[in-house]
Amino acid sequence: SLSQLAAPQHPKIRLYNLEQVLSWESPFPANDTRPVVYSVQYKYALGKWFDVHMVNCTQITATECDFTAAGLLKGFPLYFNVTLRLRAELGELVSAWVTMPWFQHYRNVTVGPPKHIMVTPREGTLVIAVSPPFEVDTSMVTFLYTVYYEEKPGMQQARVKGPLQSNFIFLDNLKPFRIYCLQVEAQLFWNNQKIIRPGQLSNTSCYETTAGAHAKQQQVIGISVGTLLSLLLLAGACFFLVLKYGSVVKYLFRTPPSIPAQIEEYLKDPVQPILEALDKDISQKDDTWNSVSIISFPEKEREDVL
């Protein structure tokens, strides 16, 4: 009627981990400057309506009511059946109440990824330690963890480990010195209601496995054998090159020709009569002897000589 305001539009409740936030849209245009306020009420199953007392959600100008603001309060009990309603108010004018479907936090929550994930590489194993996305009453609900992992994304089909209730997960039978990438999901299991709420996957993280003493010994032996074979191949290649190109090698490494000492002295001082000295030395060597002996003669010449 004309005496009523338009009701808030598109109300929705956000339940993420421990967050409980109600939001809505104003029914009035953005340029409407009238001082419109909103009020929120709640009730439990078969109960009466109450104003929200945990935070101020009565006659507020914002289009949101955070029941767990700043983490100081825990909001509504996580296992209670809760129904919310809200309306707009302008002076004495009020809108009709807008009532939302009831909810239970454990039944409707969106579960985030594990808060912390620590991975320790070991011999052919990755040890994963996880912490829950948020604190819960373990007598009523528990978290189940599932790990999705693969060796270097795309190398093999992804494998799954879980769901497991333990906070420690062991990925066994992995290849040593290989890189494995993984994601972890936390699911909320409500024991009494047999309800499982799926969770969001964590960011992908990659780790390299280590090896035991036997694998390390094999690796050392393999490296040693590979190095020895490489040296043998190198030595064989050098021997073959020497055999095939020996003359070229000798030519490349030959001793350069040298100038005789006498010529070198002459070049330093051309005034010296080096050529005559050399010729004289040669003549003296040619004409000098210690003794002469006749070894044999033919018979006829021997008689003539005699």
Side-chain angles (χ1 to χ4, degrees), residues 5-27:
L5 293 176
Q9 299 176 348
H10 311 298
K12 57 184 178 181
I13 182 72
R14 168 182 165 84
L15 304 174
Y16 179 81
N17 288 347
L18 289 177
E19 295 180 11
Q20 298 176 349
V21 182
L22 174 65
S23 61
W24 58 90
E25 296 178 7
S26 172

Side-chain angles (χ1 to χ4, degrees), residues 18 63 81 98 116 120 131 152 188 199 215 236 240 246 252 255 257 282 288 302:
L18 289 177
T63 57
N81 185 316
V98 179
H116 300 290
T120 304
S131 59
K152 276 191 178 179
L188 182 68
F240 173 77
L252 292 176
T255 302
I282 295 173
T288 301
R302 182 178 182 182

Side-chain angles (χ1 to χ4, degrees), residues 33-108:
T33 59
R34 292 180 296 174
V36 178
V37 294
Y38 304 93
S39 295
V40 180
Q41 292 184 338
Y42 74 96
K43 73 171 183 176
Y44 299 127
L46 305 177
K48 296 187 299 182
W49 291 102
F50 298 95
D51 291 333
V52 178
H53 61 275
M54 58 193 72
V55 291
N56 182 22
C57 289
T58 302
Q59 295 185 341
I60 59 175
T61 57
T63 57
E64 179 182 278
C65 181
D66 188 351
F67 306 108
T68 53
L72 300 177
L73 300 171
K74 296 184 179 179
F76 300 106
L78 303 182
Y79 54 91
F80 273 29
N81 185 316
V82 182
T83 304
L84 299 174
R85 70 177 184 179
L86 75 146
R87 70 179 182 183
E89 301 174 4
L90 177 61
E92 296 181 357
L93 298 178
V94 296
S95 71
W97 288 102
V98 179
T99 304
M100 282 146 286
W102 63 272
F103 69 89
Q104 288 177 302
H105 195 98
Y106 284 151
R107 182 187 297 270
N108 305 107

Side-chain angles (χ1 to χ4, degrees), residues 159-231:
R159 289 178 278 181
V160 181
K161 183 72 174 286
L164 302 172
Q165 189 172 345
S166 174
N167 292 67
F168 292 91
I169 304 171
F170 295 84
L171 302 182
D172 301 316
N173 301 321
L174 303 180
K175 300 176 182 178
F177 302 112
R178 300 295 177 88
I179 297 177
Y180 289 86
C181 298
L182 57 90
Q183 291 179 291
V184 184
E185 177 193 14
Q187 300 175 335
L188 182 68
F189 177 61
W190 193 356
N191 304 330
N192 296 335
Q193 302 295 327
K194 306 299 181 184
I195 295 175
I196 296 180
R197 291 294 300 167
Q200 297 176 342
L201 290 173
S202 65
N203 294 330
T204 302
S205 55
C206 300
Y207 306 89
E208 184 178 4
T209 56
T210 60
H214 179 66
K216 290 181 179 179
Q217 184 178 7
Q218 288 183 336
Q219 185 185 34
V220 171
I221 294 175
I223 294 175
S224 302
V225 172
T227 304
L228 180 60
L229 291 177
S230 300
L231 293 175

Side-chain angles (χ1 to χ4, degrees), residues 126-144:
L126 291 178
V127 182
I128 305 172
V130 297
S131 59
F134 55 93
E135 298 298 326
V136 296
D137 183 356
T138 55
S139 64
M140 300 182 62
V141 295
T142 55
F143 282 105
L144 305 177

